[in-house]
Amino acid sequence: MLSQSKRLTKNAFVREFWRVNAAFGMLVRLRSVPTFLLAWLCICSTSHAQEHDQTEAKTRADVTETHAIALHGEPIYAEDFKHFDWANPDAKKGGTIRLVGFGTFDSLNPYTFKGISPINTPGMYLYGFSELNETLLIGTGDYSPSADEAQTAYGLLAETIRYPDDFSWVEFDINPAAYFHDKHPVTSEDVVYSYHTLIEKGHPRFKQNLLAVESVEAISERTVRFWFKSGSNKPALFRVGEMPVLPKHYWQDKDFERSSSVPPLLSGPYALKAHQSGAWITYERQKDFWAKDLNVYRGRFNFDDVRIDFYRDQTVAFEAFKSNDFDVYHDYTAKNWASGYTFPAITEGLVVKEEVEHKIPSGTQGFFFNTRRTLFNDSRVRQAISEMFDFEWTNEALFHKAYKRNKSYFPNSEYSATGLPTSEELALLEPYKAHLPKELFTQAFGEEASPKSLRTRMRKALNLLKDAGWNLSGDQLIHSETGQLFEFEFIYRQAGLERVIIPYIKNLERIGIHAKPRLIEAAQYKARLDNFDYDMMTFVLSQGMSPSYEQRDYYHSELVSVLGSQNYAGINSVAVDALIEYVINAKDKTQLATAMRALDRVLLWQFYIVPNWHIDHHRLAYWSKFAKPTLTPKYKLGTENWWID
């Protein structure tokens, strides 16, 4: 097979030929025989080279050909596996499941900067039903995460994965049975089109996730190859496997960048049947679905129809659930979970209430400072404001002691930093010691940062603020040099958070800080976050079992000014940037965990957010008409694996 450098040389020659040929357009218009003959020979040569490359790639000794790939270790399921252990292959098909969505949606295109699509509304990812396109691989990414193994992907649209030992490229053989819902086959050209469309016209996160890709080419109708940039490694393979495959014939004459209410063309188990923008959406199971008997789908996606009704208020939604307006309620409110389930359907056994334990890494949930604002560009100020959040009181008075305080950006995972840095972590951190607080190296985060007495925390906060140039005068905090009053706006989109935010703001008033709370509807909230138009806000950054390029979108300095990125805190740190690269390029699980814990320490000690809370179980209530697989999945809720009993 041609080496990468030789291949790029050959491709460069072909491009140069067409550039020169274009300059002699008159000869083409005159149907110059030599020009067309040369073009024909070049095309034939390229086609022959591609066939040669594909054949030799399959026979090279250093090339692995497989049905699945694990980032570390080996996949659980062998090539001939029949179904996942957490799915029941004998599950009945049919019936309808009615779910609840929160917020609203105004688009059915989940891949663009504009609009909000259903899958991008709060909590929708839990259910497993969406308007997302199928991917080459399944098990990592957003489309359908694994339920029982971390950082492992199996073939979906791709029936075969092929890559060399140095992971400089990867080939996917597309399943010849795969087709979109209009019966148009899925081809390598669709994959190539999807890559270019998503990085050029899609949401900025796609460009970040696919940064390692050098080029992509259709080797044949069913084989596509991605070349990776020098220094890239195994994680890059997963990122291209997670890329949604769009139908080129459907999108090529449409404006991909605009939000759209037109149902997208998909290839998965469900098609979008009907919807009312912002109110409800219905998905319909495709009974002639191309992969209905594929091992990764067997026993799953059993409902004929999936209906999702959207509510802006959780209290109203819960009343609708009690009235049997929908079937499943994932309860986010500790108070309601503790005292709200006294209605007749519970006592009559018509509604099941259960806590389902899981090992899903919790998201990075907190109150985010926008450090682009001068008010928050001093870490001492951010720490002072963090000190005034009284979690112990909040948990006892409002949450019935249901939650654990986040002391990590990656809670409920193996990536949480604990104790002092290990020698392996220090090797990564010490080159940036001049840019980091000395406490990071001498004490565990949270060891002394949050003494229980609010009065003690208040004294500490005032001392930090004084060191940063702010002095308390009466009931106002004033900057000693500029005379500026310390006041800011705190935006949020869930009315239920007011009972947490208002007491916090009152605590801030005790040290002269005046924060104005502002409830904002979902579309405006998204627009303000996309444009970094806020002082402080509340959010949850999704964290999975395979941390990689998404950490760039969350924390890398290159994204500080990229509208639509999720670097909401405006983090601009050489240490953070370097540690993210260590995360992306980790060679094994040990290196990954070390880099993630070091990253966690740096983020914590810079106080970019006021950490919130988490639980390690689902609070779930549902009308008792469902059956579930015997094995409870540990990494997902698994609603898509239920069926009507």
Side-chain angles (χ1 to χ4, degrees), residues 67-228:
H67 71 294
I69 183 170
L71 186 59
H72 308 299
E74 297 296 328
I76 292 177
Y77 300 95
E79 186 171 5
D80 60 349
F81 81 100
K82 303 302 181 185
H83 61 87
F84 290 127
D85 292 343
W86 38 269
N88 178 6
D90 299 319
K92 298 176 184 176
K93 303 288 186 183
T96 299
I97 185 171
R98 301 168 302 164
L99 302 171
V100 59
F102 291 109
T104 185
F105 67 95
D106 56 11
S107 174
L108 297 177
N109 183 344
Y111 307 119
T112 63
F113 183 75
K114 299 177 181 178
I116 302 174
S117 72
I119 189 60
N120 293 319
T121 57
M124 192 58 59
Y125 69 94
L126 284 170
Y127 297 133
F129 308 102
S130 73
E131 68 279 10
L132 297 177
N133 286 77
E134 288 185 299
T135 49
L136 291 164
L137 305 180
I138 189 172
T140 64
D142 297 331
Y143 177 72
S144 184
S146 172
D148 62 348
E149 55 186 329
Q151 304 167 337
T152 303
Y154 293 82
L156 179 55
L157 288 173
E159 62 177 356
T160 305
I161 312 163
R162 193 178 303 109
Y163 55 88
D165 291 347
D166 63 0
F167 301 104
S168 58
W169 54 265
V170 63
E171 279 184 3
F172 299 100
D173 291 340
I174 297 172
N175 193 317
Y179 56 79
F180 295 101
H181 292 160
D182 64 353
K183 306 306 180 185
H184 193 286
V186 180
T187 70
S188 55
E189 287 294 339
D190 293 309
V191 179
V192 174
Y193 172 81
S194 299
Y195 167 76
H196 289 294
T197 300
L198 290 168
I199 67 168
E200 294 168 10
K201 301 179 180 180
H203 193 281
R205 69 176 180 271
F206 290 107
K207 189 172 184 178
Q208 290 300 311
N209 285 344
L210 298 168
L211 272 177
V213 176
E214 177 71 43
S215 62
V216 57
E217 57 184 319
I219 300 298
S220 69
E221 184 181 16
R222 296 289 180 181
T223 300
V224 63
R225 179 184 297 168
F226 289 85
W227 288 100
F228 298 123

Side-chain angles (χ1 to χ4, degrees), residues 551-621:
Q551 307 304 317
R552 285 182 58 89
D553 191 37
Y554 297 162
Y555 313 123
H556 201 284
S557 62
E558 288 183 357
L559 281 300
V560 168
S561 301
V562 177
L563 300 183
S565 82
Q566 291 188 288
N567 186 350
Y568 293 128
I571 298 171
N572 187 355
S573 163
V574 293
V576 169
D577 290 353
L579 290 169
I580 289 172
E581 296 307 312
Y582 281 119
V583 168
I584 292 171
N585 293 294
K587 302 297 183 184
D588 54 42
K589 189 173 182 180
T590 300
Q591 286 188 8
L592 177 64
T594 298
M596 286 292 290
R597 291 167 190 159
L599 175 62
D600 193 25
R601 291 184 194 281
V602 174
L603 294 171
L604 287 168
W605 280 104
Q606 296 287 8
F607 299 94
Y608 294 116
I609 68 172
V610 180
N612 283 177
W613 50 84
H614 73 279
I615 55 174
D616 57 4
H617 57 272
H618 300 292
R619 293 188 295 235
L620 200 66

